[in-house]
Amino acid sequence: MISVKIEKNHVLVKGHAGWAQSGFDIVCSSVSTAVIMTINQIEIFELIDKIKFEVKEGYSEIIVVEEDDVINKILLNLTFTLKNLELDYPKYIKIYENL
């Protein structure tokens, strides 16, 4: 199962969904794509220096080191996307919020 911990200025994604074997798991692919698109969008807006991030197999983390309204909105979009995935695949992704 993928575990997503969402806090103010921090998103942590860990684990593998287990929906299908590696390379064919649409839940893992969807979550990974959402996280990478979020980081890319922050970079496109030239705000990458306001976050720290790490992405590796089974682990992604985004930490906001300098508050920014645009980053907050981008992370809100990530939250909405992950919540929709959780609704569609509740056995494979679980979100924990502490805002």
Side-chain angles (χ1 to χ4, degrees), residues 36-97:
I36 295 298
M37 286 182 67
T38 297
I39 295 167
N40 289 346
Q41 190 173 24
I42 291 169
E43 186 171 14
I44 287 168
F45 280 107
E46 299 177 355
L47 300 169
I48 201 73
D49 59 324
K50 295 185 179 193
I51 67 167
K52 290 182 182 179
F53 66 92
E54 183 176 359
V55 177
K56 57 187 178 183
E57 185 178 337
Y59 181 92
S60 300
E61 184 172 30
I62 302 170
I63 301 168
V64 178
V65 294
E66 185 179 330
E67 281 283 331
D68 186 274
D69 190 50
V70 173
I71 291 174
N72 290 340
K73 290 176 182 173
I74 293 170
L75 291 177
L76 184 60
N77 183 62
L78 175 61
T79 300
F80 286 155
T81 300
L82 295 174
K83 284 182 176 182
N84 283 327
L85 287 168
E86 181 185 37
L87 287 173
D88 290 342
Y89 301 97
K91 293 180 182 176
Y92 304 99
I93 179 172
K94 178 65 180 157
I95 296 176
Y96 305 91
E97 281 188 274

Side-chain angles (χ1 to χ4, degrees), residues 3-59:
S3 171
V4 180
K5 182 178 173 185
I6 300 172
E7 297 178 324
K8 182 172 174 51
N9 298 325
H10 185 229
V11 177
L12 177 63
V13 180
K14 295 186 342 183
H16 292 282
W19 185 85
Q21 67 183 12
S22 181
F24 298 93
D25 193 319
I26 62 171
V27 180
C28 277
S29 296
S30 298
V31 170
S32 295
T33 299
V35 171
I36 295 298
M37 286 182 67
T38 297
I39 295 167
N40 289 346
Q41 190 173 24
I42 291 169
E43 186 171 14
I44 287 168
F45 280 107
E46 299 177 355
L47 300 169
I48 201 73
D49 59 324
K50 295 185 179 193
I51 67 167
K52 290 182 182 179
F53 66 92
E54 183 176 359
V55 177
K56 57 187 178 183
E57 185 178 337
Y59 181 92

